[in-house]
Amino acid sequence: MICVERPTYVEIDLNALRHNFALAAERAGGAGRILAVVKADAYGHGATQVARALRRQGVHWFGTALLEEARELREAGLNDPILVLGGVFPGQEESFAALNLTPCIFDLEAARRLNAAGGASGRSISCHLKIDTGMGRVGFLPEDLPEVLKQLRELEHLHFKGVLSHLALADDPSSSHNEEQMARFHAVLDTLHEYDLHPRHVHIDNSAALYSDLMPECTLVRPGVTLYGGYPSGHFAHLDLQPVMHWRTVVAAIKTLPAGRGVSYGHRFVTERPTRIATLPVGYADGYNRRLTGCGEVLIGGRRAPVVGTVCMDWTMVDVTDLPEVGVGALVTLLGCDGDDCIRAEEWAERIGTINYEVFCQVSKRVPRVYKE
């Protein structure tokens, strides 16, 4: 029995997380090569609990986007290396040194500030060098690398232990852009060696690349969405990934409306027959996307019921006319599995025109997470 104060909650299946991790570790050649990406609160799954579970599986590297996310892990007692992918903003340098965090470096001014903080604290700060091989976002351009390296080598309190890049089209394994980025990354490694720099950690593979064998010589790989049971794209739907997030609620009220009666704001749904409407205590403030109006479905007792009427801030209505056994208090699955059926994040994403990553991340903090072993 799972007990929470609110009848709307997210159940995080840690067994499924371990299953997905085992697949990644097998592909990577061992748990020690995994840098688990737990940014954005582990894609909405709860970074602290997820990191602790993965730590028990042998993960020793974690990736966050922000200093604040890394601080949360440190305060929870996680002392393993944390790579902060989002870099160092002015004023954060002392915290990076004090918390022993590893930042990505992709601009010289930030490197100089960080070097000064390292000197003031009397310690060297480990960094990973970010290279833009074709993402067009952040990172030093390969053609600028010789001059960049000359300046970085003058910063005696920075210790460059890693080099990384990021793939823009890895979710499409057939794209020639992947090979172009890999070729640029290989050239970057050659340039580093020319400057007698031999970083211990080399990584470019994300979830999609890990399952595409794009660059097996990487010393680290960075799975994210696949750890949580999401496919990087439809090309990877054959993978045996188990959903980790199961979003539940209950039926709060039921009423039968006559034909011709409108439901919810704007009366975007009007009954065509006597209709049993079940109201659920969940809405877009919880992350149940308003665009699921008229196209979403939920699972009740393993059977599907359509969302009808406009999704509200705190309420959602479904049609249970064809499910006469459903009563007040019945368990409802919004996302995840119930019985033999499962509503995956990919299904939501297709219905509302987004990606599964956003589906996971949209689940509001006001929805409690419950961790199931």
Side-chain angles (χ1 to χ4, degrees), residues 112-134:
R112 295 187 186 101
R113 294 196 314 269
L114 199 63
N115 181 68
S121 65
R123 69 179 74 180
S124 293
I125 298 177
S126 297
C127 306
H128 286 204
L129 192 65
K130 181 69 176 286
I131 308 296
D132 180 5
T133 57

Side-chain angles (χ1 to χ4, degrees), residues 66-191:
L66 308 174
L67 165 65
E68 292 81 1
E69 294 171 342
R71 180 185 287 115
E72 178 183 346
L73 294 179
R74 286 285 188 257
E75 291 175 349
L78 191 80
N79 296 318
D80 296 277
I82 299 176
L83 180 65
V84 180
L85 297 160
V88 183
F89 292 95
Q92 295 183 337
E93 300 83 11
E94 292 183 2
S95 293
F96 271 84
L99 294 171
N100 192 26
L101 302 175
T102 303
C104 284
I105 295 296
F106 44 78
D107 99 77
L108 289 170
E109 184 54 39
R112 295 187 186 101
R113 294 196 314 269
L114 199 63
N115 181 68
S121 65
R123 69 179 74 180
S124 293
I125 298 177
S126 297
C127 306
H128 286 204
L129 192 65
K130 181 69 176 286
I131 308 296
D132 180 5
T133 57
M135 184 71 178
R137 195 167 58 182
V138 295
F140 296 110
L141 293 174
E143 55 266 34
D144 296 336
L145 197 54
E147 179 58 31
V148 167
L149 291 177
K150 291 178 183 177
Q151 298 190 48
L152 290 179
R153 292 182 73 171
E154 298 176 357
L155 305 178
E156 59 182 348
H157 300 292
L158 296 189
H159 188 186
F160 288 92
K161 290 189 174 181
V163 59
L164 74 151
S165 190
H166 194 61
L167 294 164
L169 278 78
D171 57 342
D172 180 5
S174 66
S175 173
S176 61
H177 189 72
N178 294 316
E179 296 179 0
E180 294 170 7
Q181 283 197 249
M182 290 297 181
R184 294 189 190 108
F185 197 49
H186 278 295
V188 164
L189 296 179
D190 291 339
T191 300

Side-chain angles (χ1 to χ4, degrees), residues 257-325:
L257 297 178
R261 187 68 60 87
V263 175
S264 194
Y265 294 113
H267 284 184
R268 296 167 70 179
F269 174 81
V270 178
T271 59
E272 296 181 350
R273 59 174 179 170
T275 304
R276 292 182 79 228
I277 298 295
T279 301
L280 315 179
V282 62
Y284 61 77
D286 301 296
Y288 194 77
N289 200 293
R290 193 172 183 270
R291 286 174 290 174
L292 289 166
T293 295
C295 69
E297 292 181 315
V298 303
L299 295 172
I300 309 178
R303 298 175 64 188
R304 294 197 173 219
V307 174
V308 293
T310 303
V311 173
C312 308
M313 182 179 290
D314 309 297
W315 301 101
T316 297
M317 282 62 67
V318 298
D319 183 346
V320 294
T321 307
D322 297 327
L323 302 176
E325 71 282 4

Side-chain angles (χ1 to χ4, degrees), residues 12-22 49-51 53-54 227-228 242-244:
I12 302 298
D13 186 347
L14 295 178
N15 286 324
L17 176 71
R18 285 189 282 268
H19 169 85
N20 299 334
F21 168 76
Q49 294 286 352
V50 165
L54 293 176
L227 292 176
Y228 310 111
Q242 297 180 2
V244 176

